[in-house]
Amino acid sequence: MPCAPVEFLLQPATRQAQAVLHDVLLPGDIAIDATCGNGHDTAFLAEHVGADGHVIGFDIQREALTSTRKRLPDALQDRVTLVEASHAEMLEHLPPDVAGRVRAVMFNLGYLPGGDKTLITRPDTSVAAIHTALELLGPNGVVTIVVYTGHEGGREEAEHIETFLKTLPKSSWDVRVTYTLNREVDAPYLIVISRMSR
Ligand SMILES: C[S@@+](CC[C@H](N)C(=O)[O-])C[C@H]1O[C@@H](n2cnc3c(N)ncnc32)[C@H](O)[C@@H]1O
């Protein structure tokens, strides 16, 4: 998974998000998948937090959580807790001692591939969830967000999120965006938020 900078830039946004977190996650870490979908990111996180780590995954669709559970190899099952709830309510579903100890939170916005395309992430709940995710992060924690603007409401969601992220103080947060200038305007892109200090 580690790759040279140019190789990193040439990858799709979903792979870039994993490449970033490959270098961030340590055995024993706590990580959150805020949008489980078909479980690719949950499985990735579970692999990287090791046997002593834990992953908590959220999705509003039971179908997505079933798909995620099925994707996990037996060896990773015990290190993953799946919650059928909106990521905007994640705080209510996490043990209190997790606050300030989370190393990574992944968001992969939009709809469930192969599922109901009307069940999408929404501007207000996404911003609320990102806000909570930042509060949960521990030292050197990172939030990745893969943003899709090709579906109805996607661009509005992206604008809401970027407007919020621009308000984060630069002394505490680094916010980077990786997108491609000469592709279709709706190509998915990656936002990476890193905690600079605590
Ligand atoms: C693009 S998919 C995620 C793909 C996934 N990360 C993977 O690796 O397969 C987006 C998912 O977000 C979920 N979703 C939509 N609104 C949500 C919300 N408010 N809270 C949590 N999940 C939500 C959808 O049900 C869908 O499964």
Side-chain angles (χ1 to χ4, degrees), residues 137-176:
L137 281 191
N140 305 319
V142 172
V143 172
T144 61
I145 311 169
V146 176
V147 184
Y148 301 82
T149 55
H151 59 279
E152 202 180 325
R155 183 152 299 283
E156 182 198 355
E157 180 181 37
E159 283 168 5
H160 258 67
I161 290 169
E162 290 192 13
T163 300
F164 164 63
L165 294 179
K166 282 177 187 167
T167 68
L168 295 179
K170 66 176 190 294
S171 54
S172 302
W173 302 101
D174 181 271
V175 186
R176 304 274 163 147

PDB file of all heavy atoms in Angstrom, residues 137-176:
ATOM      1  N   LEU A 137     -11.089  12.897  17.524  1.00  0.00           N
ATOM      2  CA  LEU A 137      -9.712  12.552  17.132  1.00  0.00           C
ATOM      3  C   LEU A 137      -8.713  12.767  18.258  1.00  0.00           C
ATOM      4  O   LEU A 137      -8.782  13.756  18.989  1.00  0.00           O
ATOM      5  CB  LEU A 137      -9.252  13.421  15.962  1.00  0.00           C
ATOM      6  CG  LEU A 137      -9.709  13.085  14.551  1.00  0.00           C
ATOM      7  CD1 LEU A 137      -8.897  13.909  13.563  1.00  0.00           C
ATOM      8  CD2 LEU A 137      -9.600  11.610  14.239  1.00  0.00           C
ATOM      9  N   GLY A 138      -7.775  11.850  18.344  1.00  0.00           N
ATOM     10  CA  GLY A 138      -6.664  12.002  19.270  1.00  0.00           C
ATOM     11  C   GLY A 138      -5.492  12.683  18.578  1.00  0.00           C
ATOM     12  O   GLY A 138      -5.605  13.120  17.419  1.00  0.00           O
ATOM     13  N   PRO A 139      -4.341  12.762  19.266  1.00  0.00           N
ATOM     14  CA  PRO A 139      -3.158  13.372  18.676  1.00  0.00           C
ATOM     15  C   PRO A 139      -2.803  12.673  17.357  1.00  0.00           C
ATOM     16  O   PRO A 139      -2.888  11.443  17.266  1.00  0.00           O
ATOM     17  CB  PRO A 139      -2.070  13.123  19.728  1.00  0.00           C
ATOM     18  CG  PRO A 139      -2.813  12.878  20.993  1.00  0.00           C
ATOM     19  CD  PRO A 139      -4.122  12.271  20.636  1.00  0.00           C
ATOM     20  N   ASN A 140      -2.420  13.462  16.374  1.00  0.00           N
ATOM     21  CA  ASN A 140      -2.058  12.939  15.048  1.00  0.00           C
ATOM     22  C   ASN A 140      -3.208  12.207  14.342  1.00  0.00           C
ATOM     23  O   ASN A 140      -2.971  11.410  13.437  1.00  0.00           O
ATOM     24  CB  ASN A 140      -0.839  12.006  15.126  1.00  0.00           C
ATOM     25  CG  ASN A 140       0.340  12.671  15.783  1.00  0.00           C
ATOM     26  OD1 ASN A 140       0.605  13.844  15.526  1.00  0.00           O
ATOM     27  ND2 ASN A 140       1.018  11.967  16.654  1.00  0.00           N
ATOM     28  N   GLY A 141      -4.417  12.484  14.781  1.00  0.00           N
ATOM     29  CA  GLY A 141      -5.564  11.838  14.142  1.00  0.00           C
ATOM     30  C   GLY A 141      -5.868  12.448  12.783  1.00  0.00           C
ATOM     31  O   GLY A 141      -5.512  13.598  12.497  1.00  0.00           O
ATOM     32  N   VAL A 142      -6.515  11.658  11.940  1.00  0.00           N
ATOM     33  CA  VAL A 142      -6.811  12.090  10.565  1.00  0.00           C
ATOM     34  C   VAL A 142      -8.240  11.702  10.186  1.00  0.00           C
ATOM     35  O   VAL A 142      -8.699  10.600  10.498  1.00  0.00           O
ATOM     36  CB  VAL A 142      -5.820  11.429   9.567  1.00  0.00           C
ATOM     37  CG1 VAL A 142      -6.227  11.690   8.131  1.00  0.00           C
ATOM     38  CG2 VAL A 142      -4.404  11.936   9.814  1.00  0.00           C
ATOM     39  N   VAL A 143      -8.928  12.622   9.509  1.00  0.00           N
ATOM     40  CA  VAL A 143     -10.236  12.334   8.923  1.00  0.00           C
ATOM     41  C   VAL A 143     -10.072  12.375   7.403  1.00  0.00           C
ATOM     42  O   VAL A 143      -9.506  13.333   6.864  1.00  0.00           O
ATOM     43  CB  VAL A 143     -11.292  13.376   9.353  1.00  0.00           C
ATOM     44  CG1 VAL A 143     -12.608  13.180   8.581  1.00  0.00           C
ATOM     45  CG2 VAL A 143     -11.567  13.281  10.854  1.00  0.00           C
ATOM     46  N   THR A 144     -10.553  11.339   6.710  1.00  0.00           N
ATOM     47  CA  THR A 144     -10.561  11.373   5.246  1.00  0.00           C
ATOM     48  C   THR A 144     -12.009  11.437   4.768  1.00  0.00           C
ATOM     49  O   THR A 144     -12.891  10.809   5.355  1.00  0.00           O
ATOM     50  CB  THR A 144      -9.874  10.135   4.626  1.00  0.00           C
ATOM     51  OG1 THR A 144     -10.576   8.948   5.024  1.00  0.00           O
ATOM     52  CG2 THR A 144      -8.426  10.032   5.042  1.00  0.00           C
ATOM     53  N   ILE A 145     -12.221  12.210   3.721  1.00  0.00           N
ATOM     54  CA  ILE A 145     -13.575  12.340   3.156  1.00  0.00           C
ATOM     55  C   ILE A 145     -13.472  12.188   1.636  1.00  0.00           C
ATOM     56  O   ILE A 145     -12.793  12.985   0.975  1.00  0.00           O
ATOM     57  CB  ILE A 145     -14.183  13.727   3.465  1.00  0.00           C
ATOM     58  CG1 ILE A 145     -14.038  14.079   4.950  1.00  0.00           C
ATOM     59  CG2 ILE A 145     -15.663  13.767   3.062  1.00  0.00           C
ATOM     60  CD1 ILE A 145     -14.376  15.539   5.270  1.00  0.00           C
ATOM     61  N   VAL A 146     -14.110  11.164   1.087  1.00  0.00           N
ATOM     62  CA  VAL A 146     -14.217  11.048  -0.366  1.00  0.00           C
ATOM     63  C   VAL A 146     -15.553  11.668  -0.768  1.00  0.00           C
ATOM     64  O   VAL A 146     -16.609  11.268  -0.276  1.00  0.00           O
ATOM     65  CB  VAL A 146     -14.109   9.586  -0.844  1.00  0.00           C
ATOM     66  CG1 VAL A 146     -14.316   9.508  -2.355  1.00  0.00           C
ATOM     67  CG2 VAL A 146     -12.747   9.012  -0.467  1.00  0.00           C
ATOM     68  N   VAL A 147     -15.452  12.698  -1.624  1.00  0.00           N
ATOM     69  CA  VAL A 147     -16.616  13.525  -1.957  1.00  0.00           C
ATOM     70  C   VAL A 147     -17.059  13.242  -3.390  1.00  0.00           C
ATOM     71  O   VAL A 147     -16.231  13.211  -4.305  1.00  0.00           O
ATOM     72  CB  VAL A 147     -16.246  15.025  -1.831  1.00  0.00           C
ATOM     73  CG1 VAL A 147     -17.467  15.897  -2.075  1.00  0.00           C
ATOM     74  CG2 VAL A 147     -15.632  15.321  -0.464  1.00  0.00           C
ATOM     75  N   TYR A 148     -18.355  13.058  -3.571  1.00  0.00           N
ATOM     76  CA  TYR A 148     -18.921  12.823  -4.902  1.00  0.00           C
ATOM     77  C   TYR A 148     -19.881  13.966  -5.234  1.00  0.00           C
ATOM     78  O   TYR A 148     -20.759  14.279  -4.425  1.00  0.00           O
ATOM     79  CB  TYR A 148     -19.715  11.511  -4.945  1.00  0.00           C
ATOM     80  CG  TYR A 148     -18.895  10.294  -4.594  1.00  0.00           C
ATOM     81  CD1 TYR A 148     -18.662   9.960  -3.265  1.00  0.00           C
ATOM     82  CD2 TYR A 148     -18.354   9.484  -5.587  1.00  0.00           C
ATOM     83  CE1 TYR A 148     -17.912   8.849  -2.930  1.00  0.00           C
ATOM     84  CE2 TYR A 148     -17.600   8.372  -5.262  1.00  0.00           C
ATOM     85  CZ  TYR A 148     -17.378   8.060  -3.930  1.00  0.00           C
ATOM     86  OH  TYR A 148     -16.631   6.963  -3.602  1.00  0.00           O
ATOM     87  N   THR A 149     -19.709  14.554  -6.408  1.00  0.00           N
ATOM     88  CA  THR A 149     -20.592  15.660  -6.779  1.00  0.00           C
ATOM     89  C   THR A 149     -21.474  15.320  -7.975  1.00  0.00           C
ATOM     90  O   THR A 149     -22.242  16.157  -8.437  1.00  0.00           O
ATOM     91  CB  THR A 149     -19.759  16.919  -7.109  1.00  0.00           C
ATOM     92  OG1 THR A 149     -18.818  16.565  -8.125  1.00  0.00           O
ATOM     93  CG2 THR A 149     -19.039  17.445  -5.895  1.00  0.00           C
ATOM     94  N   GLY A 150     -21.385  14.082  -8.472  1.00  0.00           N
ATOM     95  CA  GLY A 150     -22.088  13.724  -9.701  1.00  0.00           C
ATOM     96  C   GLY A 150     -23.572  13.453  -9.536  1.00  0.00           C
ATOM     97  O   GLY A 150     -24.314  13.485 -10.511  1.00  0.00           O
ATOM     98  N   HIS A 151     -24.024  13.187  -8.320  1.00  0.00           N
ATOM     99  CA  HIS A 151     -25.449  12.897  -8.124  1.00  0.00           C
ATOM    100  C   HIS A 151     -26.159  14.155  -7.614  1.00  0.00           C
ATOM    101  O   HIS A 151     -25.513  15.091  -7.112  1.00  0.00           O
ATOM    102  CB  HIS A 151     -25.635  11.741  -7.135  1.00  0.00           C
ATOM    103  CG  HIS A 151     -25.045  12.011  -5.787  1.00  0.00           C
ATOM    104  ND1 HIS A 151     -23.703  11.843  -5.526  1.00  0.00           N
ATOM    105  CD2 HIS A 151     -25.594  12.460  -4.634  1.00  0.00           C
ATOM    106  CE1 HIS A 151     -23.471  12.162  -4.271  1.00  0.00           C
ATOM    107  NE2 HIS A 151     -24.598  12.550  -3.708  1.00  0.00           N
ATOM    108  N   GLU A 152     -27.482  14.140  -7.717  1.00  0.00           N
ATOM    109  CA  GLU A 152     -28.251  15.308  -7.277  1.00  0.00           C
ATOM    110  C   GLU A 152     -28.003  15.581  -5.791  1.00  0.00           C
ATOM    111  O   GLU A 152     -28.099  14.663  -4.969  1.00  0.00           O
ATOM    112  CB  GLU A 152     -29.742  15.047  -7.518  1.00  0.00           C
ATOM    113  CG  GLU A 152     -30.525  16.334  -7.605  1.00  0.00           C
ATOM    114  CD  GLU A 152     -32.006  16.073  -7.837  1.00  0.00           C
ATOM    115  OE1 GLU A 152     -32.328  15.105  -8.548  1.00  0.00           O
ATOM    116  OE2 GLU A 152     -32.802  16.849  -7.286  1.00  0.00           O
ATOM    117  N   GLY A 153     -27.676  16.791  -5.469  1.00  0.00           N
ATOM    118  CA  GLY A 153     -27.399  17.151  -4.075  1.00  0.00           C
ATOM    119  C   GLY A 153     -25.935  17.006  -3.699  1.00  0.00           C
ATOM    120  O   GLY A 153     -25.504  17.505  -2.656  1.00  0.00           O
ATOM    121  N   GLY A 154     -25.155  16.330  -4.542  1.00  0.00           N
ATOM    122  CA  GLY A 154     -23.746  16.079  -4.215  1.00  0.00           C
ATOM    123  C   GLY A 154     -22.910  17.352  -4.168  1.00  0.00           C
ATOM    124  O   GLY A 154     -22.085  17.550  -3.277  1.00  0.00           O
ATOM    125  N   ARG A 155     -23.162  18.233  -5.149  1.00  0.00           N
ATOM    126  CA  ARG A 155     -22.374  19.470  -5.174  1.00  0.00           C
ATOM    127  C   ARG A 155     -22.713  20.375  -3.987  1.00  0.00           C
ATOM    128  O   ARG A 155     -21.850  20.982  -3.371  1.00  0.00           O
ATOM    129  CB  ARG A 155     -22.595  20.211  -6.501  1.00  0.00           C
ATOM    130  CG  ARG A 155     -21.763  21.470  -6.647  1.00  0.00           C
ATOM    131  CD  ARG A 155     -21.452  21.796  -8.068  1.00  0.00           C
ATOM    132  NE  ARG A 155     -20.687  20.762  -8.743  1.00  0.00           N
ATOM    133  CZ  ARG A 155     -19.383  20.553  -8.597  1.00  0.00           C
ATOM    134  NH1 ARG A 155     -18.685  21.318  -7.791  1.00  0.00           N
ATOM    135  NH2 ARG A 155     -18.770  19.592  -9.254  1.00  0.00           N
ATOM    136  N   GLU A 156     -23.987  20.414  -3.653  1.00  0.00           N
ATOM    137  CA  GLU A 156     -24.419  21.222  -2.500  1.00  0.00           C
ATOM    138  C   GLU A 156     -23.759  20.681  -1.216  1.00  0.00           C
ATOM    139  O   GLU A 156     -23.283  21.454  -0.365  1.00  0.00           O
ATOM    140  CB  GLU A 156     -25.941  21.129  -2.383  1.00  0.00           C
ATOM    141  CG  GLU A 156     -26.514  21.963  -1.264  1.00  0.00           C
ATOM    142  CD  GLU A 156     -27.935  21.517  -0.890  1.00  0.00           C
ATOM    143  OE1 GLU A 156     -28.498  20.625  -1.556  1.00  0.00           O
ATOM    144  OE2 GLU A 156     -28.438  22.048   0.118  1.00  0.00           O
ATOM    145  N   GLU A 157     -23.722  19.359  -1.108  1.00  0.00           N
ATOM    146  CA  GLU A 157     -23.083  18.745   0.064  1.00  0.00           C
ATOM    147  C   GLU A 157     -21.599  19.125   0.109  1.00  0.00           C
ATOM    148  O   GLU A 157     -21.073  19.509   1.159  1.00  0.00           O
ATOM    149  CB  GLU A 157     -23.250  17.224   0.006  1.00  0.00           C
ATOM    150  CG  GLU A 157     -22.623  16.509   1.181  1.00  0.00           C
ATOM    151  CD  GLU A 157     -22.789  14.994   1.081  1.00  0.00           C
ATOM    152  OE1 GLU A 157     -22.716  14.449  -0.027  1.00  0.00           O
ATOM    153  OE2 GLU A 157     -22.991  14.374   2.150  1.00  0.00           O
ATOM    154  N   ALA A 158     -20.931  19.033  -1.047  1.00  0.00           N
ATOM    155  CA  ALA A 158     -19.506  19.364  -1.105  1.00  0.00           C
ATOM    156  C   ALA A 158     -19.270  20.820  -0.677  1.00  0.00           C
ATOM    157  O   ALA A 158     -18.343  21.123   0.078  1.00  0.00           O
ATOM    158  CB  ALA A 158     -18.985  19.137  -2.522  1.00  0.00           C
ATOM    159  N   GLU A 159     -20.130  21.705  -1.147  1.00  0.00           N
ATOM    160  CA  GLU A 159     -19.966  23.127  -0.808  1.00  0.00           C
ATOM    161  C   GLU A 159     -20.167  23.365   0.691  1.00  0.00           C
ATOM    162  O   GLU A 159     -19.427  24.122   1.319  1.00  0.00           O
ATOM    163  CB  GLU A 159     -20.955  23.974  -1.619  1.00  0.00           C
ATOM    164  CG  GLU A 159     -20.492  24.144  -3.061  1.00  0.00           C
ATOM    165  CD  GLU A 159     -21.556  24.720  -3.977  1.00  0.00           C
ATOM    166  OE1 GLU A 159     -22.642  25.086  -3.476  1.00  0.00           O
ATOM    167  OE2 GLU A 159     -21.308  24.791  -5.197  1.00  0.00           O
ATOM    168  N   HIS A 160     -21.167  22.700   1.270  1.00  0.00           N
ATOM    169  CA  HIS A 160     -21.406  22.817   2.714  1.00  0.00           C
ATOM    170  C   HIS A 160     -20.174  22.374   3.499  1.00  0.00           C
ATOM    171  O   HIS A 160     -19.743  23.035   4.435  1.00  0.00           O
ATOM    172  CB  HIS A 160     -22.573  21.904   3.119  1.00  0.00           C
ATOM    173  CG  HIS A 160     -23.859  22.610   3.330  1.00  0.00           C
ATOM    174  ND1 HIS A 160     -24.552  23.213   2.318  1.00  0.00           N
ATOM    175  CD2 HIS A 160     -24.588  22.801   4.462  1.00  0.00           C
ATOM    176  CE1 HIS A 160     -25.653  23.735   2.814  1.00  0.00           C
ATOM    177  NE2 HIS A 160     -25.703  23.510   4.100  1.00  0.00           N
ATOM    178  N   ILE A 161     -19.648  21.231   3.093  1.00  0.00           N
ATOM    179  CA  ILE A 161     -18.504  20.668   3.816  1.00  0.00           C
ATOM    180  C   ILE A 161     -17.296  21.588   3.688  1.00  0.00           C
ATOM    181  O   ILE A 161     -16.628  21.908   4.678  1.00  0.00           O
ATOM    182  CB  ILE A 161     -18.187  19.249   3.284  1.00  0.00           C
ATOM    183  CG1 ILE A 161     -19.304  18.288   3.707  1.00  0.00           C
ATOM    184  CG2 ILE A 161     -16.831  18.757   3.769  1.00  0.00           C
ATOM    185  CD1 ILE A 161     -19.236  16.932   3.032  1.00  0.00           C
ATOM    186  N   GLU A 162     -17.023  22.056   2.469  1.00  0.00           N
ATOM    187  CA  GLU A 162     -15.844  22.907   2.279  1.00  0.00           C
ATOM    188  C   GLU A 162     -16.000  24.232   3.017  1.00  0.00           C
ATOM    189  O   GLU A 162     -15.039  24.759   3.581  1.00  0.00           O
ATOM    190  CB  GLU A 162     -15.589  23.123   0.788  1.00  0.00           C
ATOM    191  CG  GLU A 162     -15.112  21.830   0.126  1.00  0.00           C
ATOM    192  CD  GLU A 162     -14.571  22.043  -1.280  1.00  0.00           C
ATOM    193  OE1 GLU A 162     -14.331  23.204  -1.666  1.00  0.00           O
ATOM    194  OE2 GLU A 162     -14.398  21.040  -1.980  1.00  0.00           O
ATOM    195  N   THR A 163     -17.213  24.770   3.028  1.00  0.00           N
ATOM    196  CA  THR A 163     -17.450  26.025   3.755  1.00  0.00           C
ATOM    197  C   THR A 163     -17.134  25.833   5.229  1.00  0.00           C
ATOM    198  O   THR A 163     -16.479  26.668   5.866  1.00  0.00           O
ATOM    199  CB  THR A 163     -18.918  26.478   3.570  1.00  0.00           C
ATOM    200  OG1 THR A 163     -19.128  26.679   2.177  1.00  0.00           O
ATOM    201  CG2 THR A 163     -19.215  27.761   4.338  1.00  0.00           C
ATOM    202  N   PHE A 164     -17.586  24.703   5.786  1.00  0.00           N
ATOM    203  CA  PHE A 164     -17.292  24.417   7.197  1.00  0.00           C
ATOM    204  C   PHE A 164     -15.785  24.238   7.415  1.00  0.00           C
ATOM    205  O   PHE A 164     -15.197  24.813   8.336  1.00  0.00           O
ATOM    206  CB  PHE A 164     -18.057  23.173   7.661  1.00  0.00           C
ATOM    207  CG  PHE A 164     -17.540  22.596   8.937  1.00  0.00           C
ATOM    208  CD1 PHE A 164     -17.588  23.338  10.119  1.00  0.00           C
ATOM    209  CD2 PHE A 164     -16.971  21.320   8.978  1.00  0.00           C
ATOM    210  CE1 PHE A 164     -17.083  22.818  11.309  1.00  0.00           C
ATOM    211  CE2 PHE A 164     -16.472  20.797  10.160  1.00  0.00           C
ATOM    212  CZ  PHE A 164     -16.523  21.547  11.331  1.00  0.00           C
ATOM    213  N   LEU A 165     -15.145  23.462   6.558  1.00  0.00           N
ATOM    214  CA  LEU A 165     -13.730  23.146   6.784  1.00  0.00           C
ATOM    215  C   LEU A 165     -12.833  24.386   6.672  1.00  0.00           C
ATOM    216  O   LEU A 165     -11.791  24.464   7.318  1.00  0.00           O
ATOM    217  CB  LEU A 165     -13.270  22.054   5.813  1.00  0.00           C
ATOM    218  CG  LEU A 165     -13.934  20.681   6.032  1.00  0.00           C
ATOM    219  CD1 LEU A 165     -13.443  19.676   5.007  1.00  0.00           C
ATOM    220  CD2 LEU A 165     -13.687  20.161   7.447  1.00  0.00           C
ATOM    221  N   LYS A 166     -13.267  25.353   5.860  1.00  0.00           N
ATOM    222  CA  LYS A 166     -12.476  26.583   5.732  1.00  0.00           C
ATOM    223  C   LYS A 166     -12.454  27.383   7.034  1.00  0.00           C
ATOM    224  O   LYS A 166     -11.618  28.259   7.214  1.00  0.00           O
ATOM    225  CB  LYS A 166     -13.044  27.452   4.603  1.00  0.00           C
ATOM    226  CG  LYS A 166     -12.637  26.956   3.232  1.00  0.00           C
ATOM    227  CD  LYS A 166     -13.273  27.790   2.133  1.00  0.00           C
ATOM    228  CE  LYS A 166     -12.996  27.164   0.784  1.00  0.00           C
ATOM    229  NZ  LYS A 166     -13.821  27.729  -0.265  1.00  0.00           N
ATOM    230  N   THR A 167     -13.390  27.109   7.939  1.00  0.00           N
ATOM    231  CA  THR A 167     -13.434  27.850   9.204  1.00  0.00           C
ATOM    232  C   THR A 167     -12.505  27.235  10.259  1.00  0.00           C
ATOM    233  O   THR A 167     -12.322  27.820  11.332  1.00  0.00           O
ATOM    234  CB  THR A 167     -14.867  27.867   9.795  1.00  0.00           C
ATOM    235  OG1 THR A 167     -15.220  26.534  10.210  1.00  0.00           O
ATOM    236  CG2 THR A 167     -15.879  28.393   8.800  1.00  0.00           C
ATOM    237  N   LEU A 168     -11.927  26.072   9.993  1.00  0.00           N
ATOM    238  CA  LEU A 168     -11.089  25.428  11.025  1.00  0.00           C
ATOM    239  C   LEU A 168      -9.787  26.204  11.204  1.00  0.00           C
ATOM    240  O   LEU A 168      -9.116  26.523  10.218  1.00  0.00           O
ATOM    241  CB  LEU A 168     -10.778  23.976  10.624  1.00  0.00           C
ATOM    242  CG  LEU A 168     -11.974  23.017  10.552  1.00  0.00           C
ATOM    243  CD1 LEU A 168     -11.508  21.628  10.113  1.00  0.00           C
ATOM    244  CD2 LEU A 168     -12.696  22.932  11.890  1.00  0.00           C
ATOM    245  N   PRO A 169      -9.419  26.473  12.455  1.00  0.00           N
ATOM    246  CA  PRO A 169      -8.181  27.240  12.679  1.00  0.00           C
ATOM    247  C   PRO A 169      -6.946  26.480  12.201  1.00  0.00           C
ATOM    248  O   PRO A 169      -6.786  25.301  12.511  1.00  0.00           O
ATOM    249  CB  PRO A 169      -8.156  27.440  14.198  1.00  0.00           C
ATOM    250  CG  PRO A 169      -9.171  26.502  14.763  1.00  0.00           C
ATOM    251  CD  PRO A 169     -10.127  26.127  13.682  1.00  0.00           C
ATOM    252  N   LYS A 170      -6.089  27.169  11.456  1.00  0.00           N
ATOM    253  CA  LYS A 170      -4.934  26.484  10.871  1.00  0.00           C
ATOM    254  C   LYS A 170      -3.900  26.086  11.920  1.00  0.00           C
ATOM    255  O   LYS A 170      -3.052  25.243  11.666  1.00  0.00           O
ATOM    256  CB  LYS A 170      -4.308  27.308   9.756  1.00  0.00           C
ATOM    257  CG  LYS A 170      -3.662  28.610  10.156  1.00  0.00           C
ATOM    258  CD  LYS A 170      -3.017  29.229   8.918  1.00  0.00           C
ATOM    259  CE  LYS A 170      -2.139  30.414   9.215  1.00  0.00           C
ATOM    260  NZ  LYS A 170      -2.813  31.611   9.729  1.00  0.00           N
ATOM    261  N   SER A 171      -3.976  26.680  13.109  1.00  0.00           N
ATOM    262  CA  SER A 171      -3.044  26.274  14.166  1.00  0.00           C
ATOM    263  C   SER A 171      -3.363  24.861  14.669  1.00  0.00           C
ATOM    264  O   SER A 171      -2.500  24.178  15.209  1.00  0.00           O
ATOM    265  CB  SER A 171      -3.115  27.264  15.334  1.00  0.00           C
ATOM    266  OG  SER A 171      -4.450  27.378  15.767  1.00  0.00           O
ATOM    267  N   SER A 172      -4.590  24.413  14.479  1.00  0.00           N
ATOM    268  CA  SER A 172      -4.988  23.096  14.982  1.00  0.00           C
ATOM    269  C   SER A 172      -5.233  22.069  13.892  1.00  0.00           C
ATOM    270  O   SER A 172      -5.159  20.863  14.150  1.00  0.00           O
ATOM    271  CB  SER A 172      -6.281  23.218  15.799  1.00  0.00           C
ATOM    272  OG  SER A 172      -6.119  24.105  16.862  1.00  0.00           O
ATOM    273  N   TRP A 173      -5.568  22.558  12.677  1.00  0.00           N
ATOM    274  CA  TRP A 173      -5.993  21.626  11.633  1.00  0.00           C
ATOM    275  C   TRP A 173      -5.321  21.942  10.304  1.00  0.00           C
ATOM    276  O   TRP A 173      -5.197  23.109   9.937  1.00  0.00           O
ATOM    277  CB  TRP A 173      -7.515  21.712  11.427  1.00  0.00           C
ATOM    278  CG  TRP A 173      -8.284  21.438  12.667  1.00  0.00           C
ATOM    279  CD1 TRP A 173      -8.860  22.364  13.494  1.00  0.00           C
ATOM    280  CD2 TRP A 173      -8.542  20.168  13.254  1.00  0.00           C
ATOM    281  NE1 TRP A 173      -9.466  21.743  14.546  1.00  0.00           N
ATOM    282  CE2 TRP A 173      -9.293  20.395  14.424  1.00  0.00           C
ATOM    283  CE3 TRP A 173      -8.223  18.857  12.894  1.00  0.00           C
ATOM    284  CZ2 TRP A 173      -9.713  19.358  15.247  1.00  0.00           C
ATOM    285  CZ3 TRP A 173      -8.642  17.826  13.712  1.00  0.00           C
ATOM    286  CH2 TRP A 173      -9.382  18.081  14.864  1.00  0.00           C
ATOM    287  N   ASP A 174      -4.946  20.881   9.598  1.00  0.00           N
ATOM    288  CA  ASP A 174      -4.484  21.035   8.213  1.00  0.00           C
ATOM    289  C   ASP A 174      -5.543  20.365   7.332  1.00  0.00           C
ATOM    290  O   ASP A 174      -5.877  19.203   7.548  1.00  0.00           O
ATOM    291  CB  ASP A 174      -3.127  20.345   8.050  1.00  0.00           C
ATOM    292  CG  ASP A 174      -2.595  20.504   6.639  1.00  0.00           C
ATOM    293  OD1 ASP A 174      -2.918  19.645   5.789  1.00  0.00           O
ATOM    294  OD2 ASP A 174      -1.878  21.479   6.375  1.00  0.00           O
ATOM    295  N   VAL A 175      -6.052  21.108   6.362  1.00  0.00           N
ATOM    296  CA  VAL A 175      -7.103  20.562   5.495  1.00  0.00           C
ATOM    297  C   VAL A 175      -6.606  20.595   4.054  1.00  0.00           C
ATOM    298  O   VAL A 175      -6.345  21.665   3.507  1.00  0.00           O
ATOM    299  CB  VAL A 175      -8.409  21.385   5.616  1.00  0.00           C
ATOM    300  CG1 VAL A 175      -9.525  20.699   4.828  1.00  0.00           C
ATOM    301  CG2 VAL A 175      -8.817  21.577   7.069  1.00  0.00           C
ATOM    302  N   ARG A 176      -6.445  19.423   3.443  1.00  0.00           N
ATOM    303  CA  ARG A 176      -5.944  19.326   2.062  1.00  0.00           C
ATOM    304  C   ARG A 176      -7.003  18.723   1.155  1.00  0.00           C
ATOM    305  O   ARG A 176      -7.743  17.845   1.579  1.00  0.00           O
ATOM    306  CB  ARG A 176      -4.718  18.410   2.008  1.00  0.00           C
ATOM    307  CG  ARG A 176      -3.589  18.817   2.912  1.00  0.00           C
ATOM    308  CD  ARG A 176      -2.703  19.828   2.251  1.00  0.00           C
ATOM    309  NE  ARG A 176      -1.881  20.480   3.272  1.00  0.00           N
ATOM    310  CZ  ARG A 176      -0.657  20.907   3.088  1.00  0.00           C
ATOM    311  NH1 ARG A 176      -0.084  20.769   1.906  1.00  0.00           N
ATOM    312  NH2 ARG A 176       0.000  21.505   4.050  1.00  0.00           N
TER     313      ARG A 176
END
